[in-house]
Amino acid sequence: MYTILFTIAAYLIGSISFAVVASRLFGLADPRTYGSKNPGATNVLRSGSKKAAIATLAGDCAKGWLAVWLAIRFGERFGVEDGGVALVAIAVFLGHLWPVFFRFVGGKGVATALGVLLGLNVWLGLATLVTWLVVAYAFRYSSLAALVAAVFAPFYYGLLFGADEKLVAVIAMSLLLLYRHSSNIGNLMAGKESKIGSKSKGAAAAKPAVKKK
């Protein structure tokens, strides 16, 4: 019973789209209307607002970490074991991909997946983050960095902890990340993928124009 409650709560936490929230707070256009139309930090960065992008990245990462941390910290006293923690990890990630608060139109899950990994184990999260940073710095493609990090994350987990229920959750997240980046894979192969920091048309601040007298 409590495992179900923790899982539902995790999904609801994951359903908070910080890309949309941050864009509204900073007076920017809805990230679902320009660029890749993905409500994530990389697309928000295309608006030209680094602050909004950082807020999005921090929020999406934090919600993944928070859901898993709550399950690990308080779940045991309610009978939530490793299998329940694995369900929570998947639930918060699914909430980001298909958020109930935003008509099930969510992001691709990179920052939230990082938060989940950090919640499971700090070293696991850091190893995956370093992988992302190295690839992103070398090639300037956020999507390529995410794909490589997604492939390595289960390997890192298995190396650190072996095979268990939480490894299944990590593998499931990695597969979903690859699936959500299918269009990016096509763009990378065709040489059409946008690089990190490139601006997009239609990403201007969503404020009414002031008529000149």
Side-chain angles (χ1 to χ4, degrees):
M1 178 63 180
Y2 285 107
T3 297
I4 295 174
L5 292 177
F6 271 87
T7 302
I8 293 173
Y11 173 77
L12 295 176
I13 292 172
S15 290
I16 302 171
S17 178
F18 282 93
V20 177
V21 173
S23 293
R24 290 176 181 174
L25 289 175
F26 284 88
L28 304 172
D30 191 318
R32 296 169 294 181
T33 64
Y34 63 82
S36 65
K37 294 182 172 57
N38 172 58
T42 301
N43 201 39
V44 172
L45 184 60
R46 294 189 178 105
S47 70
S49 175
K50 292 182 179 179
K51 290 182 179 180
I54 291 172
T56 299
L57 178 65
D60 284 344
C61 183
K63 70 185 182 185
W65 172 85
L66 177 63
V68 174
W69 181 81
L70 288 173
I72 294 175
R73 178 66 176 80
F74 300 105
E76 187 176 357
R77 71 181 64 176
F78 296 106
V80 179
E81 300 178 350
D82 283 355
V85 173
L87 287 175
V88 165
I90 288 295
V92 68
F93 186 68
L94 291 176
H96 179 80
L97 300 187
W98 294 286
V100 67
F101 303 133
F102 296 91
R103 300 180 180 180
F104 302 101
V105 179
K108 295 180 179 178
V110 177
T112 302
L114 174 61
V116 169
L117 296 176
L118 287 169
L120 292 173
N121 181 268
V122 173
W123 295 112
L124 171 65
L126 289 178
T128 307
L129 175 59
V130 169
T131 301
W132 188 95
L133 290 172
V134 169
V135 178
Y137 179 80
F139 298 98
R140 306 296 298 171
Y141 289 112
S142 175
S143 56
L144 178 62
L147 291 168
V148 175
V151 170
F152 274 87
F155 169 75
Y156 293 145
Y157 187 95
L159 191 65
L160 289 170
F161 309 108
D164 58 17
E165 295 96 329
K166 289 179 282 189
L167 174 59
V168 175
V170 174
I171 292 173
M173 281 198 308
S174 294
L175 292 175
L176 284 168
L177 278 168
L178 295 176
Y179 166 72
R180 293 290 282 187
H181 283 80
S182 57
S183 61
N184 301 92
I185 295 173
N187 288 337
L188 285 167
M189 295 179 68
K192 298 179 180 179
E193 184 73 349
S194 298
K195 291 191 174 183
I196 295 173
S198 61
K199 291 187 178 181
S200 175
K201 294 180 179 179
K207 295 180 179 179
V210 178
K211 294 183 179 180
K212 295 182 179 181
K213 295 182 178 180

